[in-house]
Amino acid sequence: EEERRREKKKRKRESAASDEREREEREERERERRMMPRSNASSSSSSTSSRTKAFFVSNTSRSPTRRRRRGGRETGRERRERSDGSGRCNRLVSRTRASSASVNPNASEGGKPWRENDARLVLENGEVYSGYGFGHTEDKTYVAEVVFNTSLTGYQEILTDPSYRGQTVCFTQPHIGNVGINEGDMECDHGCHLKGVVVRHLSENVSNYRSRETLDAYLKRQSVVGIAGVDTRQLTRALREKGSLVGVVCTDESVEDADLVAMAKSWSILGKDLLKEVTCKEPYEWSTQTEDEWEFKEMGISASIGSNGGGGGDLKVVAYDYGIKSNILKRLSSRGCSVTVVPADYPWEDVLAMNPDGVFFSNGPGDPSAAPYAVENARNIIGKIPAFGICMGHQILGQAFGGTTFKLKFGHHGGNHPIKNTLTDAIEISAQNHNFAVDPSTLPETVQVTHVNLNDGTVAGMVSKDMNVLTIQYHPEASPGPHDADVAFDQFVEMMRKEKGGVLEPKVSL
C-alpha cells in the first residue's frame, strides 16, 4: 500500500511538471507568433469587397519523449499541428478584413508591411526629415517654400487651391488620404498648383462613396511629389520657431544633403509674381451655384437670399482671377450675381467698360508687392464702383489704399484661426491661407480696420466707407473650414444694391 502511494505521488509530480513545461512552451510560441512580421500575400476570397492577409508562424512540435511521459498518447493539439514529420510545422493564421483598396501603399517591395525610407526633405537651415516617396517622384528634386496647414479635413481642397503655388504643404493632421479623391471637391479645373505634400501617415485604404482614385494616383497624374512617414510634429514646431523655410524633397539617394541645402538657399518666394502663373488666359462667364447639399441654410441672411440666386442674376460682377477658387464663384452666383472672370492683368478700363455693379478681387499665391499691375488696376477702380477683396485681393486693395504689405513669420494656413470683428465684438473662426499681411500703420485714416486676427494681431479685414470697399484676409467660402464668415458675401451684395452704406451693419443675429 505504501508503495502504491509513493508511485501515485510520483506520477502526480511528473504530471504537474509536464503541465508546467507545456504552459511555458505555449507562452514561447505565442511570443514568437507576435514577433513574426506579416507577409503581403493575400488569399483569394469569394467576396470582391474583402481580402485576406496571412502570415505563417513556425512552431516546434511536442517531442516524442513528452508523449511517452503521457503514456504514448498524442493530444488533439499535437495532431492538428503535426506536419510532415520533419519536427517543425506551420500554422496558418488568417485575418479577413473588408477593404476597398487592393494594394497597401505603405508596403515595401521586399515583402515588409512598411516602406523603407527612400526620400527626404532637406530644409535650407540644414535639417533633414526622412520618409518614403509617393505620388510623382521621377523629377528627383522638388524645391518650394515649406508651410504647415492645421485643417483637420479637406485635404483635396487644399491640394487644388491655387494659393499654394510655389509651396510644399505639411499636414498637421497625421492621417491623410483616407477618403481618396473625388470629382466634386476640386477648387481649380487645372488640379494641383502646389509643389509637394508632407504627411505623417498615408492611408492604406480608401473608404468614401464619392472617391474615384487614391491620393497617390492623383498626385502622380498631377506631377506633385509626396513624402510620408515624416515626423510632422517636429517639422511643424521647427517652422513655427524658425519661420517658413525653403525645402527640397529629394527621391535620389545619390544627391548629397549639402547640395540640397544649397539648392534650397538659392530659391525664394519673395518678389515672385505667381499670379500670372495661375490666372486664366481669357475672360469667361461663371453661372454654377453652390449645390443644395452644401448650402448654408442656417446662416441668417444667407437663408433669406437662398441658393436659388436671390436676385435672379441681376447683379453683374467682374472677378479678377489671381488664383480664384471655384467655391468663391459659386457663393457669388448663389447670391444673384452674374460673374465674369477676367485675367489678373486685365486692364481696368476694359473692366469699367463692362459696366459692372461690383468688382471682386480674388485670392492668390505669392508676394502681393510683386504684382504692381494688379495694384494699379485696383487703384483706378475703387471709388467708382463697389469692390470686395479676399486674401490676395485684400492685400492688393491694401496697397491700392496707399498701404504696404510684409511677410509673416510662418503664415496663416488652416481652418481654426480666430478673428475679432471690431464693429460688433463678435468672434469668427476662419479658414486662412496666406503668407503676407497688410501693415496697419501705413493705411490712410479713411480706411478702417474692421477685423483682427486674435493669434497675432494682424489685420484681417478693412472697410473704406468713402470708396465703398470691403476686404477680408481670410476665406468666407471656407472649403475647407467653418462657415462663420460666409456673411461677407451678403455684405458685398448689400453694398452693390445700396451703392453706399450698409456694409458696417451686422447681417446675422449675434
Side-chain angles (χ1 to χ4, degrees):
E1 184 68 22
E2 185 65 25
E3 185 67 26
R4 283 197 301 271
R5 283 198 298 270
R6 284 197 296 269
E7 185 65 26
K8 186 176 180 180
K9 290 181 180 179
K10 181 179 179 182
R11 287 198 301 269
K12 200 171 186 179
R13 287 194 299 270
E14 290 178 350
S15 178
S18 177
D19 291 342
E20 179 64 21
R21 285 192 296 271
E22 182 180 359
R23 183 185 64 78
E24 292 175 353
E25 291 180 6
R26 279 201 308 269
E27 292 176 352
E28 180 65 23
R29 288 195 300 274
E30 182 64 19
R31 283 193 295 270
E32 292 178 359
R33 186 188 71 80
R34 290 178 178 176
M35 294 178 64
M36 285 292 293
R38 297 172 181 172
S39 72
N40 290 330
S42 298
S43 63
S44 61
S45 173
S46 59
S47 172
T48 59
S49 63
S50 65
R51 72 187 162 124
T52 300
K53 287 186 174 180
F55 61 90
F56 289 92
V57 180
S58 296
N59 295 303
T60 303
S61 63
R62 291 177 174 83
S63 66
T65 303
R66 195 165 118 204
R67 286 198 294 271
R68 282 196 298 271
R69 287 174 179 168
R70 290 187 170 186
R73 295 190 304 273
E74 187 177 37
T75 66
R77 181 188 294 270
E78 290 168 339
R79 285 194 300 271
R80 288 192 298 271
E81 294 183 351
R82 179 164 44 84
S83 58
D84 56 359
S86 62
R88 299 187 65 82
C89 67
N90 291 322
R91 180 175 57 186
L92 178 64
V93 182
S94 303
R95 180 179 62 168
T96 303
R97 175 175 64 181
S99 170
S100 60
S102 59
V103 179
N104 179 0
N106 299 330
S108 65
E109 296 180 357
K112 299 177 181 179
W114 62 85
R115 282 277 301 272
E116 299 286 353
N117 288 342
D118 56 8
R120 60 206 145 126
L121 168 64
V122 180
L123 301 180
E124 60 179 300
N125 65 351
E127 293 184 11
V128 180
Y129 296 84
S130 299
Y132 58 87
F134 66 97
H136 188 271
T137 58
E138 285 74 14
D139 289 346
K140 306 302 182 182
T141 57
Y142 304 78
V143 186
E145 183 181 49
V146 183
V147 299
F148 62 89
N149 188 294
T150 58
S151 294
L152 297 179
T153 61
Y155 62 79
Q156 179 173 331
E157 291 91 331
I158 294 169
L159 293 173
T160 55
D161 183 351
S163 297
Y164 282 109
R165 182 78 172 187
Q167 294 179 326
T168 292
V169 177
C170 168
F171 289 95
T172 60
Q173 162 68 303
H175 195 62
I176 299 295
N178 54 310
V179 295
I181 298 293
N182 66 76
E183 299 172 353
D185 291 343
M186 299 292 181
E187 289 296 336
C188 176
D189 291 337
H190 175 274
C192 292
H193 282 280
L194 49 68
K195 196 72 172 181
V197 296
V198 182
V199 303
R200 179 68 184 94
H201 180 258
L202 177 64
S203 180
E204 175 182 342
N205 300 316
V206 173
S207 179
N208 189 275
Y209 73 100
R210 302 169 68 214
S211 177
R212 293 296 178 267
E213 61 181 327
T214 65
L215 175 59
D216 180 41
Y218 178 70
L219 294 185
K220 280 184 171 69
R221 287 200 299 109
Q222 295 294 319
S223 298
V224 175
V225 70
I227 179 172
V230 174
D231 188 346
T232 52
R233 292 179 299 177
Q234 181 182 353
L235 175 58
T236 300
R237 177 168 291 183
L239 296 176
R240 277 189 59 88
E241 293 176 351
K242 301 177 178 65
S244 297
L245 298 169
V246 177
V248 183
V249 176
C250 181
T251 58
D252 186 353
E253 295 181 356
S254 65
V255 181
E256 297 292 336
D257 290 347
D259 296 334
L260 298 176
V261 171
M263 189 182 302
K265 289 182 177 179
S266 66
W267 193 92
S268 174
I269 200 171
L270 287 172
K272 288 191 182 303
D273 178 15
L274 301 178
L275 304 188
K276 290 183 179 179
E277 297 183 15
V278 299
T279 189
C280 59
K281 303 303 180 185
E282 298 292 337
Y284 65 91
E285 302 294 323
W286 181 278
S287 60
T288 305
Q289 300 179 6
T290 302
E291 298 83 352
D292 286 341
E293 61 180 330
W294 300 115
E295 187 57 60
F296 315 141
K297 298 293 186 182
E298 72 283 0
M299 290 294 294
I301 192 171
S302 298
S304 66
I305 291 177
S307 60
N308 58 4
D314 62 323
L315 293 174
K316 186 174 182 180
V317 174
V318 174
Y320 270 104
D321 178 12
Y322 301 144
I324 196 166
K325 295 171 64 177
S326 61
N327 263 290
I328 292 176
L329 296 172
K330 289 179 180 179
R331 300 312 288 153
L332 288 171
S333 182
S334 294
R335 284 164 167 76
C337 299
S338 297
V339 184
T340 301
V341 184
V342 298
D345 58 353
Y346 203 70
W348 64 270
E349 299 94 340
D350 295 343
V351 169
L352 294 180
M354 297 179 184
N355 195 28
D357 296 298
V359 178
F360 176 79
F361 298 85
S362 81
N363 61 290
D367 186 349
S369 64
Y373 57 88
V375 177
E376 184 64 22
N377 285 333
R379 184 178 292 119
N380 285 282
I381 290 174
I382 59 176
K384 298 180 176 67
I385 53 177
F388 178 31
I390 289 177
C391 200
M392 173 62 73
H394 161 90
Q395 298 161 14
I396 294 294
L397 288 170
Q399 294 178 91
F401 289 147
T404 60
T405 59
F406 65 95
K407 193 174 188 300
L408 297 169
K409 182 178 180 181
F410 48 80
H412 299 159
H413 311 278
N416 56 352
H417 290 258
I419 299 296
K420 181 178 180 179
N421 185 330
T422 61
L423 304 174
T424 64
D425 288 334
I427 305 299
E428 300 172 358
I429 302 301
S430 66
Q432 302 202 12
N433 175 25
H434 62 100
N435 272 15
F436 292 82
V438 174
D439 184 353
S441 65
T442 63
L443 294 173
E445 294 182 356
T446 56
V447 177
Q448 181 181 4
V449 175
T450 57
H451 295 74
V452 176
N453 189 307
L454 293 180
N455 285 338
D456 57 11
T458 53
V459 176
M462 302 178 294
V463 161
S464 173
K465 296 174 66 176
D466 295 341
M467 297 183 180
N468 221 10
V469 178
L470 163 71
T471 78
I472 55 175
Q473 178 63 85
Y474 45 101
H475 287 259
E477 86 290 351
S479 230
H483 306 149
D484 298 22
D486 189 64
V487 68
F489 291 109
D490 301 322
Q491 294 172 336
F492 181 43
V493 169
E494 288 282 321
M495 190 165 59
M496 288 189 289
R497 291 196 187 282
K498 296 180 179 180
E499 291 188 358
K500 293 287 185 181
V503 65
L504 298 183
E505 298 297 324
K507 298 295 188 284
V508 293
S509 298
L510 300 175

